Structure formats: structure tokens, C-alpha cells
Amino acid sequence: MTERKRILTGIRPTGALHLGHYAGALENWVRLQKEYNCYFLIADYQVSDYADDITRVREAVWEVALDWLAVGLDPEGSHFVIESLVPEHAELATWLGWFLPVAMLERNPTLKAEMEAMENPDDPNAERKSVPVAFYNYPVMQVANILMPRAHLVPVGDDQLPHIELTRETARRFNHRFKEVFPEPEALLGRVPRLVGTDGNAKMSKSKSNAIFLKDDAKTVTQSVMSMYTPRMNRTDPGDPEITPAFMYHDAFNPNRDEVEDLKERYRKGAVGDVEVKQKLAVALNTFLEPIRDRRAQYASNMRYVREALEHGSIRGRAIARETMEMVRDALDLNYLGKY
Ligand code: TRP
């Protein structure tokens, strides 16, 4: 049997996961886990909360692991890796940093936007932060994450594409200059690469309080749906489903296509109220989320299992990391002491 190709992908532990994570990435992960050897990373080196809230990071590690189990990632076939339990990531990032021009980081649109948001937050009352060195460096860390298991495929949401381009460039440079160590990884986008927020903001995000979480109970989901932003003033105004968040969610999560088409048709004519559109959406979302919630609750009552998933996954992550670091040291010819 030929060895399966490898996936590495990850999430920063900032809290529970939401529908945007699901449609943008998790759904692909679940689908691909049988075909690929998967490393799912909880990227705790890359969380900017350390300076102010380490407890939140620690809790978020469990939240992420529970959400992964709840959506059907299988830690017996795949590896759930906690990044800092594989300190080789830090070592590899240090070496790779020499092959990445600062100018390339500065052009990275995702990093640029995040740094801008840190220094000039939307909320005028929020604290302005100066950008820590570690934050500036996190794309390099991410390059190291992806190259560490010599991944072939990286399924992610579209905000991650610039980082994957950096990774491909780094792999090319390294292989060309030293030895062919790293495959050039491909990005794979989800069915909905970027899901709108409930407030109509371009992106669902915990920090913008416009998210529906996988673990939200039915009542919370219904409330979020009923108070969703709607671009129309009156129920008799003709509406455009393409720019209406409720319809974007219908498209993403309601399997009853006939119902959705009927609603859209009436919406375009001003012949359906937002309340009906939203009520049907709430039902569809809750039907979709119910089994996820149930599984989450089951795992939450067996935290030993979750812990073992993280522990064993991290051990496996470390094993392949050691293998890769041997190859890297060999390629860079770092065996200083071997000379005499
Ligand atoms: N930066 C990603 C995010 O913010 C998380 C991440 C870390 C990641 N390392 C990765 C994603 C490696 C893909 C591959 O969600």
C-alpha cells in the first residue's frame, strides 16, 4: 500500500467554533480524513491573548477539541496536535525565518489587516495594542506548521490563502537551495470560503459578536437568526437574496432546496416577510446543529477521552516533527560537531 498523502491544518485556540469555521473548513476536514493522513493543529503559539488572558487560551484548547469531535473528526484515524507540545515548530520557524523576506510578510494582506485592527480597533473604546514581535512572526510559524509534517494539502478558509502562498514560496526556496525536503502544499477552500456574520459584516467572527456557534443551544440559535441583519425596510419591498444574510445561510445550511427557492422567489417579489424566512432558517440550522450538539455533550461528559485524543495526537505530531527536523538538519548541514 502506498502511504497516504498528508494534510496539515489548524485553528488558533481563541474560543468555541462557529458556522463560518464549519462551512469554510471543518466540513472539508471531516470529508478528507479517511483519504489523507491528517494533522489537526491547535495553534497555541499563535494566540495574541497571552499577554492578557492565558486562562482563556487554556479553556479554548478544550473548546476546540470538543467542537472537532462534535463535527466528526476522528482522533483514532487523525492526529489532534497541540502546537506547543511539539516545540520543533519553534525551531523550524527559526530556521525558515532566514528564507522569508520581510517584504513578503509586509505584503501579506491577512497579516496587514490583523495588525491594522490591533493598532486601530473598530470599537473606539477598545484598547489600542502595539503589535508584538510574536504576532508579526506568526505567519512564519504557520509556514513551519504546514511544512513540519511535509503536508500536501491544507484545507482552510480564504483568509488563510496568503499564508499558504508564503509556505509554497518557502518550500520552493528551501528545496532549491538545499535539498528536496518539502512538498509544495496546495490550499483547498471550503464550500463557503467566507461566511457572512449575522450582522451582515463580511465575515463571521467571534470578536465581532456576529457568530452562531456550533455549541449554541436551539434557543440561542433562534434568537440570533431572528435578530439577523436584513437589508430590506418593509416586507412588501422586493428584496435581493444575494445580499441578504438569512438567504446566504439558507444556501449554506438548508438542505431543502425547494423551500429555499420558493422563499427566494417570493422575497424577490416582496411577497414574503423576513420573519418567515428567518423562522424557516432557524429550523434548518437547528436541525443541522442538533446532532453536533448531542455529540459534543457526550464527549464533554468524557473529558478523559478528549485529553487522550490531544495527548496521543501530540505524540504523533512530535514523531513526524523529529523525522522532519532530521531531514532539515541534514539538508542545512548542521552537524557541526560531527566534523572532528
Ligand atoms: N492561522 C490560522 C487561523 O487563524 C490557524 C493556523 C495555524 C493554521 N497554523 C495553521 C491553519 C496551519 C492552517 C495551517 O485560523
Side-chain angles (χ1 to χ4, degrees), residues 8-12 41 43 46 138 142 145-146 154 156 160:
L8 180 125
T9 187
I11 282 181
R12 290 188 258 199
L41 190 75
Q46 298 169 51
Y138 97 76
Q142 188 162 338
N145 297 153
I146 297 169
V154 192
V156 282
Q160 300 301 306

Side-chain angles (χ1 to χ4, degrees), residues 176-220:
H176 178 73
R177 196 143 162 227
F178 304 101
K179 253 185 203 172
E180 191 76 27
V181 172
F182 302 114
E184 237 178 82
E186 304 275 346
L188 179 73
L189 288 183
R191 191 165 50 90
V192 184
R194 182 181 303 211
L195 187 67
V196 282
T198 54
D199 59 354
N201 189 294
K203 190 180 166 203
M204 180 173 281
S205 143
K206 184 177 67 103
S207 62
K208 297 207 162 71
S209 309
N210 65 6
I212 295 177
F213 293 94
L214 300 176
K215 70 170 191 178
D216 280 348
D217 61 30
K219 205 172 135 217
T220 307

Side-chain angles (χ1 to χ4, degrees), residues 127-334:
E127 183 196 354
R128 284 160 178 265
K129 294 188 186 155
S130 54
V131 175
V133 170
F135 189 85
Y136 194 78
N137 199 47
Y138 97 76
V140 185
M141 193 59 85
Q142 188 162 338
V143 169
N145 297 153
I146 297 169
L147 295 184
M148 188 61 92
R150 289 164 273 132
H152 303 88
L153 189 69
V154 192
V156 282
D158 73 347
D159 56 331
Q160 300 301 306
L161 292 179
H163 303 326
I164 296 170
E165 206 34 61
L166 274 185
T167 310
R168 293 168 59 84
E169 181 65 28
T170 310
R172 278 195 292 268
R173 287 175 188 223
F174 186 99
N175 290 343
H176 178 73
R177 196 143 162 227
F178 304 101
K179 253 185 203 172
E180 191 76 27
V181 172
F182 302 114
E184 237 178 82
E186 304 275 346
L188 179 73
L189 288 183
R191 191 165 50 90
V192 184
R194 182 181 303 211
L195 187 67
V196 282
T198 54
D199 59 354
N201 189 294
K203 190 180 166 203
M204 180 173 281
S205 143
K206 184 177 67 103
S207 62
K208 297 207 162 71
S209 309
N210 65 6
I212 295 177
F213 293 94
L214 300 176
K215 70 170 191 178
D216 280 348
D217 61 30
K219 205 172 135 217
T220 307
V221 170
T222 304
Q223 275 167 2
S224 303
V225 170
M226 297 317 289
S227 58
M228 228 172 231
Y229 166 76
T230 170
R232 215 169 54 152
M233 299 298 282
N234 305 302
R235 57 160 293 149
T236 50
D237 293 346
D240 181 359
E242 301 294 317
I243 56 160
T244 305
F247 279 106
M248 301 184 196
Y249 289 78
H250 267 299
D251 279 338
F253 295 102
N254 187 347
N256 185 344
R257 303 320 306 167
D258 292 343
E259 177 175 273
V260 176
E261 284 315 311
D262 167 62
L263 287 171
K264 282 186 181 174
E265 212 175 294
R266 288 193 284 138
Y267 191 75
R268 287 194 196 95
K269 292 192 263 191
V272 65
D274 288 278
V275 171
E276 184 184 341
V277 174
K278 288 175 173 178
Q279 274 166 346
K280 292 197 161 123
L281 176 61
V283 171
L285 286 182
N286 279 321
T287 306
F288 166 74
L289 287 171
E290 200 164 88
I292 295 179
R293 267 181 221 132
D294 287 351
R295 275 197 302 270
R296 199 182 201 276
Q298 274 167 28
Y299 287 113
S301 67
N302 187 5
M303 291 305 281
R304 274 281 292 275
Y305 181 84
V306 186
R307 184 208 132 93
E308 277 168 20
L310 291 171
E311 189 178 346
H312 294 151
S314 299
I315 289 171
R316 290 293 297 276
R318 191 145 200 214
I320 194 158
R322 290 200 162 128
E323 209 177 278
T324 300
M325 289 315 296
E326 275 305 305
M327 296 163 79
V328 168
R329 279 191 209 98
D330 173 60
L332 295 175
D333 206 4
L334 294 176

Side-chain angles (χ1 to χ4, degrees), residues 12-15 43-58 60 118 129 132 135 206-207:
R12 290 188 258 199
T14 56
D44 67 322
Y45 276 143
Q46 298 169 51
V47 179
S48 57
D49 290 354
Y50 277 114
D52 30 271
D53 199 346
I54 200 138
T55 315
R56 195 162 65 207
V57 180
R58 198 175 314 111
M118 249 188 202
K129 294 188 186 155
F135 189 85
K206 184 177 67 103
S207 62

